[in-house]
């Protein structure tokens, strides 16, 4: 059913749609002035006049994505701890579904309060980062106790609460702040640099976690929560 719309979309994009790169090349070819393909003027303005804001938005997005994607990499470890004798596909799917449901609650609560004058974007990101830092610090200190059968419920609560505060916090706010704290003339450049920093934050845990054990992962990720809290402030 979907093959016809897909083929039409491919045809339209390839033969009909004008992309910014082709428009830029055409403009450069028709102009007598030697133009650059990059907006160096916007980059200079951002760096000189809004360096502090740029550092805040870039680092905030980097720390937020490290927390978010680092938690995704925690999922298999978490499931093995709470279901050591049952790691089938259905078990993994059900635990992930529960985690997604809790994250969705945080997401809708964030949508409800993101414009509220008594909470808003900055406070939401601050509280989210701080709570994630504290929640990941607890299993870093008491990892052996929390992963034992006697305290496994506490470990579950910590993991689910961290997922909640990631959504009810930086994961729903970083891209908004990066779009709102810069003037229109440099907004696209600043937002693009901030988003690129976020992609770096998503890549880092995938690399670092290959070289450390499960307990050490909590010692690493918790400081990104505290660093994000400080940067946001």
């Amino acid at each position: 059913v979907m093959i016809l719309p897909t083929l039409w979309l491919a045809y339209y994009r390839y033969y009909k749609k004008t992309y910014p790169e082709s428009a830029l090349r055409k403009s450069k070819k028709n102009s007598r002035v030697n133009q650059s393909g990059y907006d160096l003027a916007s980059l200079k303005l951002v760096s000189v006049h809004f360096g502090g804001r740029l550092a805040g938005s870039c680092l905030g997005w980097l720390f937020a994505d490290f927390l978010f994607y680092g938690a995704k990499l925690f999922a298999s470890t978490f499931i093995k701890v709470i279901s050591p004798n049952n790691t089938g596909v259905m078990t993994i799917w059900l635990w992930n579904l529960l985690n997604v449901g809790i994250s969705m609650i945080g997401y809708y609560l964030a949508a409800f309060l993101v414009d509220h004058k008594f909470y808003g974007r900055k406070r939401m990101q601050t509280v989210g980062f701080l709570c994630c830092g504290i929640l990941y610090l607890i299993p870093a200190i008491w990892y052996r106790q929390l992963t034992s059968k006697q305290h496994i419920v506490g470990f579950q609560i910590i993991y689910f609460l961290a997922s909640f505060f990631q959504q009810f916090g930086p994961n729903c706010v970083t891209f908004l702040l990066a779009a709102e704290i810069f003037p229109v003339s440099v907004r696209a450049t600043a937002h693009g640099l901030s988003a690129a920093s976020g992609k770096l934050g998503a890549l880092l845990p995938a690399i670092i976690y290959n070289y450390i054990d499960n307990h050490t992962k909590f010692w690493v990720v918790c400081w990104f929560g505290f660093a994000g809290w400080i940067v946001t402030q």
Side-chain angles (χ1 to χ4, degrees):
V1 177
M2 293 301 298
I3 189 168
L4 290 178
T6 304
L7 290 174
W8 177 87
L9 184 61
Y11 165 79
Y12 175 79
R13 286 188 171 183
Y14 189 80
Y15 290 104
K16 299 294 184 180
K17 188 172 177 59
T18 302
Y19 289 96
E21 303 87 46
S22 60
L24 181 62
R25 287 195 297 268
K26 184 177 179 180
S27 175
K28 185 176 180 180
K29 182 179 180 180
N30 295 333
S31 177
R32 295 180 181 179
V33 181
N34 184 22
Q35 297 180 353
S36 170
Y38 300 95
D39 193 354
L40 295 178
S42 294
L43 185 60
K44 183 178 180 180
L45 284 172
V46 172
S47 302
V48 173
H49 299 286
F50 304 100
R53 296 185 187 184
L54 184 64
S57 63
C58 286
L59 291 175
W61 206 328
L62 186 151
F63 298 150
D65 275 14
F66 193 104
L67 283 171
F68 180 76
Y69 291 101
K72 295 296 182 185
L73 297 177
F74 274 145
S76 60
T77 302
F78 166 73
I79 294 169
K80 287 179 182 178
V81 171
I82 60 178
S83 301
N85 299 321
N86 191 355
T87 56
V89 175
M90 185 57 67
T91 301
I92 295 173
W93 186 83
L94 288 173
W95 280 114
N96 281 323
L97 183 63
L98 178 59
N99 191 41
V100 168
I102 294 172
S103 298
M104 288 296 292
I105 295 173
Y107 177 83
Y108 285 112
L109 188 59
F112 180 72
L113 294 176
V114 71
D115 289 318
H116 199 283
K117 62 180 180 180
F118 294 117
Y119 203 70
R121 290 144 168 72
K122 181 182 176 182
R123 188 169 284 112
M124 185 180 295
Q125 181 163 310
T126 301
V127 172
F129 269 129
L130 181 60
C131 288
C132 285
I134 294 172
L135 287 167
Y136 285 132
L137 180 62
I138 292 172
I141 298 173
W142 293 290
Y143 181 79
R144 184 174 299 176
Q145 292 88 337
L146 287 170
T147 53
S148 63
K149 291 183 179 180
Q150 293 82 358
H151 302 94
I152 196 64
V153 175
F155 186 69
Q156 295 178 39
I157 293 172
I158 288 171
Y159 185 81
F160 288 137
L161 280 177
S163 297
F164 171 83
F165 280 107
Q166 284 164 8
Q167 292 296 337
F168 185 54
N171 202 46
C172 286
V173 181
T174 47
F175 63 94
L176 293 176
L177 288 175
E180 294 177 347
I181 61 177
F182 300 100
V184 176
S185 57
V186 297
R187 185 172 295 163
T189 300
H191 195 278
L193 290 171
S194 302
S197 299
K199 300 302 180 288
L200 177 61
L203 177 65
L204 285 175
I207 298 174
I208 295 174
Y209 285 4
N210 287 320
Y211 301 98
I212 57 179
D213 58 30
N214 293 330
H215 187 184
T216 309
K217 291 175 184 177
F218 286 100
W219 278 116
V220 172
V221 73
C222 67
W223 303 115
F224 283 84
F226 293 125
W229 166 56
I230 294 171
V231 166
T232 304
Q233 290 290 356

